[in-house]
Amino acid sequence: MSNKPSIPKGTRDFSPIEMARRNYIFDTIKNVYKKYGFQQIETPAMENLSTLIGTGGDESDKLIFKILNSGDYLKKADKENLIAQNSSLTTKSIAEKALRYDLTVPFARYVVQNQNDITFPFRRFQIQPVWRADRPQKGRYREFYQCDADIIGSDSLLSEVDLIKIIDDVFTELFQGKLNYTVSINNRKILQGIVESVGESNNFEAIVVAIDKYDKIGSEGVKKEIEFLGIESENIEKLELLLLSKDLIVLGNELNPTNDIKRNQEILEGLSEYLELSINGKKGIEELEFVFEKLEQLGIKTANVKLDLTLARGLGYYTGTIIEVKIDNFPSITGGGRYDDLTGKFGLKDVSGVGISFGADRIYDVLLDNNLYPEFKGDSTQVLFINFGETEQDYCLPLLFQLREANINSEIYPSAAKMKKQMTFANNKGIKYVVLVGSDEMESGKLTVKDMETGEQENLTIEELINMIK
Amino acid sequence: MSNKPSIPKGTRDFSPIEMARRNYIFDTIKNVYKKYGFQQIETPAMENLSTLIGTGGDESDKLIFKILNSGDYLKKADKENLIAQNSSLTTKSIAEKALRYDLTVPFARYVVQNQNDITFPFRRFQIQPVWRADRPQKGRYREFYQCDADIIGSDSLLSEVDLIKIIDDVFTELFQGKLNYTVSINNRKILQGIVESVGESNNFEAIVVAIDKYDKIGSEGVKKEIEFLGIESENIEKLELLLLSKDLIVLGNELNPTNDIKRNQEILEGLSEYLELSINGKKGIEELEFVFEKLEQLGIKTANVKLDLTLARGLGYYTGTIIEVKIDNFPSITGGGRYDDLTGKFGLKDVSGVGISFGADRIYDVLLDNNLYPEFKGDSTQVLFINFGETEQDYCLPLLFQLREANINSEIYPSAAKMKKQMTFANNKGIKYVVLVGSDEMESGKLTVKDMETGEQENLTIEELINMIK
């Protein structure tokens, strides 16, 4: 093989500068999670296939990467299916393991498996890659990182408040107040209530699927989809009134302190009256009220927090609060919600939890497009000793190690290459200081130090150089 | 499915305390790598199968986890092989991708693919999991982390010096001078020279395989294996003299400053005379001399660095210096060496490099067995507000957020559960301070703060609490 090598489509290598940016995002999220009492766990890349399938529906199952059994795997395969070349019936017999599809299912499995060692309510975070056999396209990869935080084993709505404050903290730090972003909140129980109160409970799932397309097809599109379900026009009008009204409540923040608390309360009261006959609906309003009230009291830094009744977040496992973060004209960068039966599949019933997931790859692009990364100079080499030959090299080596002992990232060019080559190396690697040592410097003990950014040169002892950098 | 869930054999979950320990190891290694000018990269978990196979021999190929193609994968499979249930001939037609087996092959692929964007010599480090379909046993996993550093694009022996100094720095920090460990060094060219000088070049590989078993079967065992190859007894005696002598040179360190530089030089001179007729052998001695000389000059902190002519490190791709780190009675915890043609497979010839790999999982066990982990209290929640009910909760929430703004990891118990339950929660999570707020505290503004380690209670304002913790 001597063709230029490549990597599987939808996957990526990360170069040093890309790693610095990614670590910056991960570290920011990690530190905020820790501030809120979350603890990190990791789970293996591979899970038993039986753990993963049947959790997100047939479409999701197709997107799971399966791992071929080791050894003589075909021996155990069903011969009839093999001969018929029936892929879907063969898979289970030749692939017992698969790559995780998200971090939520492995977490549910972890909780059940380790339930006796876990202190509930359990605040865990997890930052790891996941794999999906999706069609790759701009911004969609087959290997990508999720940054999840969940609080499991408590139905307290303080958890929701914490998660929304976490979102506010993370994006306040990453966006530095320079980007407008919206945290939309809704509650699946309110959606249920609305559908119940117009007598269309039987059509709940289909209606949610339609509403979920709001951002793609607009209010008229959603209306048409709902008409198509054969729902009476009178009921559609009732639904329309509520479902197609966005931005019902908007909380102010430190940048736009435009809270109209009275108006917000009136809206919730109005909704509450409307849903009076639905237990689910009233419960949903109550939950929402609590969350908004606490957020108003505690204050928001930079997020535009709003109630959006058109937010549905698919057919997933959500049963209460749902949350989604968006920047204008960009897909969701963070999402989450409350679930009541995540661990039921693994035999542990009635455990309520709520979680969010930051999409690191989309956040990466947003920060890059908007030039919001800090400089990472200190992360790479700070000082390079130019190598003029054996004598000078021997003189420089102990000095180099003095810098390293002082925790200054430094190196010596490994051979006495041409000066130009060594300077180009320093430039390409973004090294700030270059140290030149010839016979004059060895005699005086004063090193010639060149600042590669300003071009200025100074004569310094090694101690002076260390002090200058520190 | 309601059986208790499990994970694939040979894989592991990592709990919060295990994560704290692992991050401690990774961070220590990472910071030392950075101090020496190394830059981080990451590559995808999956590579094209064609990238991975044929790099480590047939046995290695069998240990590669293959990923089943998506969709109707059997359609493209060779029907004859399917019907014959011939696994090995079918694999390539149904699995184009596989999980990486180590970090070295993906790195070689990365270098070739990105050669125009890389500034050589390239110092890269990479800390990621790898997967091997090995038989799991104590200390051997199917998913484990490697922590690799390589310098590629330079044949300077200063790279070797840096890597050995890195090993010394990392284990000085992790072992705190409390564990004895040995860095064995050899050079494949010396091994070649020795085999040449007894006229057994044709048997080089077989002899290396025999020597490689030294630690398992001892000198007598190695001798028998070599006899078994049909080598003349005269030559075996010559080989024995050199190959079976361990600890030929031992460098002193700060703990045991017992350097006998003169004796070391004599040994190398003796070896050099013995290998006078072998170009490879003389080159190997020269290389070794340079490395030992520089290490002597720069000094070693805690490692026992020695020349071990019985070190072979398998049949791999090594062509020069080889390095291995061991603790008494424990398998190798770090290893590496120089290679001259790692990228040749991908079409880039004559690129020399040298690298090491820390085995994080073995180091984890060593630190645990020897009680060498620091306390990680600050990493988890530091302060818990006990929840006495709605009024107290509302009073505590803004205080909680004041702590978080001061970067103190803190939380409030999410419901007014029984006092005992909340205190047990604090205990289990290892939380140091518990804050109790009742009507007295709300009136005075002085919080009751209990130190869970000493049992002592103090009355503090929130500002005083923040100052105490900082």
Side-chain angles (χ1 to χ4, degrees):
Chain A
M1 178 175 155
S2 66
N3 293 331
K4 208 178 173 192
S6 64
I7 46 177
K9 63 179 177 187
T11 69
R12 292 161 294 167
D13 287 322
F14 297 111
S15 69
I17 177 66
E18 288 165 335
M19 282 307 298
R21 291 187 198 127
R22 289 169 64 82
N23 285 334
Y24 166 69
I25 295 172
F26 293 141
D27 288 344
T28 302
I29 294 171
K30 219 176 196 169
N31 288 334
V32 173
Y33 280 160
K34 284 187 182 174
K35 228 162 59 180
Y36 284 75
F38 287 77
Q39 297 180 303
Q40 190 174 15
I41 69 158
E42 282 187 2
T43 61
M46 314 178 193
E47 295 276 348
N48 292 323
L49 185 56
S50 56
T51 298
L52 299 182
I53 52 170
T55 52
D58 271 3
E59 275 313 303
S60 297
D61 286 356
K62 280 187 195 153
L63 301 186
I64 295 172
F65 280 112
K66 287 98 185 169
I67 295 165
L68 208 52
N69 293 344
S70 311
D72 191 2
Y73 58 90
L74 283 181
K75 203 153 234 168
K76 284 188 193 161
D78 184 85
K79 200 160 183 177
E80 257 176 67
N81 289 326
L82 269 190
I83 294 168
Q85 289 181 287
N86 187 326
S87 300
S88 57
L89 288 179
T90 302
T91 302
K92 275 191 193 176
S93 65
I94 62 172
E96 281 165 14
K97 296 179 289 294
L99 293 176
R100 66 172 162 252
Y101 168 92
D102 65 9
L103 301 178
T104 309
V105 174
F107 174 54
R109 192 266 312 144
Y110 176 95
V111 166
V112 177
Q113 201 175 329
N114 299 284
Q115 53 185 293
N116 297 327
D117 302 320
I118 293 173
T119 305
F120 293 99
F122 183 33
R123 299 186 157 224
R124 91 85 171 75
F125 77 89
Q126 192 171 352
I127 299 180
Q128 290 192 280
V130 301
W131 295 268
R132 292 186 190 173
D134 237 329
R135 188 186 304 274
Q137 59 186 53
K138 193 186 173 309
R140 195 203 278 161
Y141 305 101
R142 292 185 147 192
E143 172 180 78
F144 58 98
Y145 269 72
Q146 292 191 328
C147 312
D148 281 22
D150 287 78
I151 302 161
I152 196 160
S154 162
D155 55 10
S156 166
L157 292 162
L158 288 178
S159 308
E160 269 88 338
V161 175
D162 267 2
L163 292 177
I164 295 162
K165 289 286 286 179
I166 282 175
I167 291 171
D168 188 35
D169 278 3
V170 165
F171 289 122
T172 297
E173 208 170 318
L174 291 179
F175 295 164
Q176 303 157 49
K178 290 172 188 164
L179 276 186
N180 231 328
Y181 66 103
T182 301
V183 181
S184 299
I185 303 178
N186 197 6
N187 192 303
R188 298 279 293 206
K189 295 192 185 90
I190 297 181
L191 287 178
Q192 282 177 335
I194 292 171
V195 176
E196 275 171 27
S197 66
V198 296
E200 296 289 349
S201 292
N202 292 340
N203 283 311
F204 179 66
E205 297 210 338
I207 292 172
V208 166
V209 168
I211 296 169
D212 218 22
K213 297 180 184 161
Y214 187 94
D215 279 345
K216 279 187 196 148
I217 61 178
S219 64
E220 279 309 304
V222 174
K223 206 180 150 186
K224 268 186 205 150
E225 294 238 346
I226 292 177
E227 276 168 5
F228 195 73
L229 295 170
I231 292 170
E232 284 174 40
S233 61
E234 191 194 347
N235 284 344
I236 292 179
E237 263 168 55
K238 278 190 196 164
L239 277 174
E240 206 183 356
L241 181 73
L242 282 164
L243 287 177
L244 307 185
S245 50
K246 290 180 83 87
D247 302 1
L248 265 188
I249 292 181
V250 181
L251 292 185
N253 60 41
E254 288 174 16
L255 300 178
N256 298 300
T258 52
N259 254 8
D260 189 345
I261 297 179
K262 197 157 166 276
R263 184 181 157 271
N264 291 347
Q265 276 170 348
E266 281 169 11
I267 289 169
L268 285 171
E269 275 165 27
L271 258 177
S272 192
E273 272 170 40
Y274 185 92
L275 298 175
E276 205 163 24
L277 295 174
S278 157
I279 294 171
N280 275 322
K282 287 195 73 170
K283 188 88 192 348
I285 299 285
E286 264 170 43
E287 292 181 5
L288 208 70
E289 259 176 332
F290 180 91
V291 172
F292 272 86
E293 202 184 288
K294 293 293 172 242
L295 290 176
E296 266 168 355
Q297 278 170 17
L298 295 168
I300 301 287
K301 291 175 185 165
T302 59
N304 299 297
V305 179
K306 67 176 197 190
L307 165 62
D308 181 355
L309 291 179
T310 71
L311 180 68
R313 285 195 65 76
L315 275 176
Y317 33 68
Y318 296 122
T319 50
T321 309
I322 40 181
I323 303 167
E324 190 165 86
V325 185
K326 284 200 163 188
I327 305 175
D328 307 332
N329 302 321
F330 208 86
S332 154
I333 51 173
T334 297
R338 182 171 284 279
Y339 40 82
D340 280 336
D341 192 31
L342 200 65
T343 55
K345 178 187 189 233
F346 304 113
L348 187 64
K349 299 278 178 206
D350 301 323
V351 179
S352 186
V354 56
I356 50 169
S357 180
F358 286 92
D361 296 278
R362 285 184 183 164
I363 294 170
Y364 182 98
D365 290 345
V366 170
L367 295 185
L368 197 63
D369 290 350
N370 292 280
N371 210 11
L372 286 172
Y373 286 107
E375 293 236 13
F376 296 111
K377 296 250 159 169
D379 198 56
S380 179
T381 301
Q382 294 161 277
V383 178
L384 175 77
F385 285 83
I386 297 295
N387 193 329
F388 286 113
E390 245 177 78
T391 319
E392 293 84 356
Q393 177 180 295
D394 277 349
Y395 182 88
C396 290
L397 276 178
L399 304 178
L400 168 66
F401 277 87
Q402 246 180 288
L403 288 183
R404 287 172 176 167
E405 279 306 303
N407 274 317
I408 295 167
N409 305 340
S410 38
E411 52 185 304
I412 185 167
Y413 199 85
S415 63
K418 282 196 182 131
M419 181 71 174
K420 200 184 161 213
K421 193 174 178 186
Q422 299 192 44
M423 293 305 269
T424 305
F425 174 85
N427 253 326
N428 287 351
K429 209 168 166 177
I431 298 172
K432 186 163 163 66
Y433 298 107
V434 158
V435 177
L436 303 114
V437 175
S439 49
D440 285 0
E441 285 82 1
M442 290 195 287
E443 210 168 290
S444 67
K446 286 267 195 182
L447 319 170
T448 300
V449 178
K450 182 172 181 170
D451 183 322
M452 297 293 279
E453 281 166 18
T454 64
E456 277 166 27
Q457 287 193 186
E458 269 188 285
N459 294 312
L460 303 171
T461 64
I462 189 72
E463 290 80 13
E464 286 167 344
L465 176 59
I466 291 173
N467 287 333
M468 186 180 71
I469 295 175
K470 293 237 120 171
Chain B
M1 177 175 153
S2 65
N3 294 329
K4 207 176 173 194
S6 63
I7 47 177
K9 64 178 177 187
T11 69
R12 292 162 294 167
D13 287 322
F14 298 111
S15 70
I17 178 68
E18 289 164 334
M19 282 306 299
R21 291 185 197 128
R22 290 169 64 82
N23 285 335
Y24 166 69
I25 295 172
F26 293 142
D27 288 345
T28 301
I29 295 172
K30 217 177 196 170
N31 287 334
V32 174
Y33 281 160
K34 282 187 183 175
K35 228 162 59 180
Y36 284 74
F38 287 77
Q39 297 180 303
Q40 190 174 15
I41 69 159
E42 281 186 5
T43 61
M46 317 178 191
E47 294 276 349
N48 292 322
L49 184 57
S50 56
T51 298
L52 299 182
I53 51 171
T55 52
D58 269 2
E59 275 312 303
S60 296
D61 287 354
K62 277 187 197 152
L63 300 185
I64 294 172
F65 280 113
K66 287 98 185 169
I67 296 165
L68 207 53
N69 293 344
S70 311
D72 191 2
Y73 58 90
L74 284 181
K75 203 152 235 169
K76 284 187 193 161
D78 184 86
K79 200 160 181 175
E80 257 176 65
N81 289 326
L82 269 191
I83 293 168
Q85 288 180 288
N86 186 325
S87 298
S88 57
L89 288 179
T90 302
T91 302
K92 275 192 193 176
S93 65
I94 64 171
E96 282 164 14
K97 295 178 289 294
L99 294 176
R100 64 171 163 253
Y101 168 93
D102 65 9
L103 300 179
T104 309
V105 173
F107 174 53
R109 192 266 311 144
Y110 176 94
V111 166
V112 177
Q113 201 175 329
N114 299 284
Q115 52 185 292
N116 297 326
D117 302 320
I118 293 173
T119 305
F120 293 99
F122 183 33
R123 299 185 156 224
R124 90 84 171 77
F125 77 89
Q126 191 170 353
I127 299 180
Q128 290 193 278
V130 302
W131 295 269
R132 293 185 191 174
D134 238 328
R135 190 187 302 275
Q137 60 184 53
K138 194 187 174 312
R140 195 204 276 161
Y141 306 101
R142 292 186 146 192
E143 173 181 78
F144 58 99
Y145 269 73
Q146 291 190 330
C147 312
D148 281 23
D150 287 79
I151 302 162
I152 194 162
S154 161
D155 56 10
S156 165
L157 292 162
L158 288 177
S159 308
E160 269 89 336
V161 175
D162 266 1
L163 292 177
I164 295 161
K165 289 286 287 179
I166 282 175
I167 290 171
D168 187 37
D169 279 2
V170 165
F171 289 122
T172 297
E173 208 169 319
L174 291 179
F175 295 163
Q176 304 157 51
K178 292 171 185 162
L179 275 186
N180 230 327
Y181 66 103
T182 301
V183 181
S184 299
I185 303 179
N186 197 5
N187 192 304
R188 297 279 294 205
K189 295 193 183 88
I190 297 181
L191 288 178
Q192 282 177 336
I194 292 171
V195 176
E196 275 172 27
S197 66
V198 295
E200 295 290 350
S201 292
N202 292 340
N203 282 312
F204 179 66
E205 297 210 339
I207 292 172
V208 166
V209 168
I211 296 169
D212 217 23
K213 296 181 185 160
Y214 187 94
D215 279 345
K216 279 186 196 148
I217 61 179
S219 63
E220 281 308 306
V222 173
K223 206 179 149 187
K224 268 184 203 149
E225 293 238 346
I226 292 177
E227 277 167 2
F228 196 73
L229 294 171
I231 293 173
E232 286 174 36
S233 62
E234 189 194 348
N235 284 343
I236 290 178
E237 263 168 56
K238 278 191 198 166
L239 276 175
E240 209 184 354
L241 180 74
L242 282 164
L243 286 176
L244 306 185
S245 50
K246 288 181 82 85
D247 302 1
L248 266 187
I249 292 182
V250 181
L251 291 185
N253 59 41
E254 287 173 16
L255 300 177
N256 298 300
T258 53
N259 255 6
D260 189 346
I261 295 179
K262 199 158 163 275
R263 183 181 158 271
N264 291 345
Q265 275 170 349
E266 280 169 12
I267 290 169
L268 285 172
E269 274 164 29
L271 258 178
S272 193
E273 271 169 40
Y274 184 92
L275 297 176
E276 205 162 27
L277 294 175
S278 158
I279 294 172
N280 275 322
K282 287 194 73 171
K283 188 85 195 345
I285 299 286
E286 264 171 43
E287 292 181 5
L288 208 70
E289 258 177 333
F290 181 92
V291 172
F292 272 85
E293 201 186 287
K294 293 293 170 243
L295 289 175
E296 267 169 355
Q297 278 170 17
L298 294 167
I300 301 287
K301 291 174 186 166
T302 60
N304 298 297
V305 179
K306 67 176 198 191
L307 166 62
D308 181 355
L309 290 180
T310 70
L311 180 67
R313 283 194 69 73
L315 276 175
Y317 33 69
Y318 297 122
T319 51
T321 309
I322 41 182
I323 303 166
E324 191 164 85
V325 184
K326 283 200 166 189
I327 306 176
D328 306 333
N329 303 321
F330 209 85
S332 155
I333 52 173
T334 296
R338 181 171 285 279
Y339 40 83
D340 280 335
D341 191 31
L342 199 65
T343 54
K345 179 187 188 235
F346 304 113
L348 187 65
K349 299 277 177 206
D350 300 325
V351 179
S352 186
V354 56
I356 51 169
S357 181
F358 286 92
D361 295 278
R362 286 184 183 165
I363 295 170
Y364 182 100
D365 290 345
V366 170
L367 295 185
L368 197 63
D369 290 350
N370 291 280
N371 210 9
L372 287 173
Y373 286 107
E375 293 237 13
F376 297 111
K377 296 252 160 171
D379 198 56
S380 178
T381 300
Q382 295 162 276
V383 178
L384 175 76
F385 286 84
I386 297 294
N387 194 329
F388 285 113
E390 244 176 78
T391 317
E392 293 84 357
Q393 176 180 296
D394 277 348
Y395 182 88
C396 290
L397 277 178
L399 303 178
L400 167 66
F401 277 87
Q402 246 180 289
L403 288 184
R404 287 172 176 169
E405 279 306 303
N407 274 317
I408 295 167
N409 305 342
S410 39
E411 53 186 301
I412 184 167
Y413 198 85
S415 63
K418 280 193 184 135
M419 181 72 174
K420 197 181 163 217
K421 191 172 179 189
Q422 299 191 44
M423 293 305 270
T424 307
F425 174 85
N427 253 328
N428 288 350
K429 208 169 168 176
I431 297 173
K432 184 159 164 67
Y433 298 106
V434 159
V435 177
L436 302 114
V437 175
S439 49
D440 284 0
E441 285 82 1
M442 290 195 287
E443 210 168 289
S444 68
K446 287 267 194 180
L447 318 171
T448 299
V449 178
K450 181 171 181 170
D451 184 322
M452 297 293 280
E453 282 166 17
T454 65
E456 277 165 30
Q457 286 194 186
E458 267 188 286
N459 293 313
L460 302 170
T461 64
I462 189 74
E463 289 80 14
E464 287 167 345
L465 175 60
I466 291 173
N467 287 333
M468 186 180 70
I469 296 175
K470 293 239 122 172

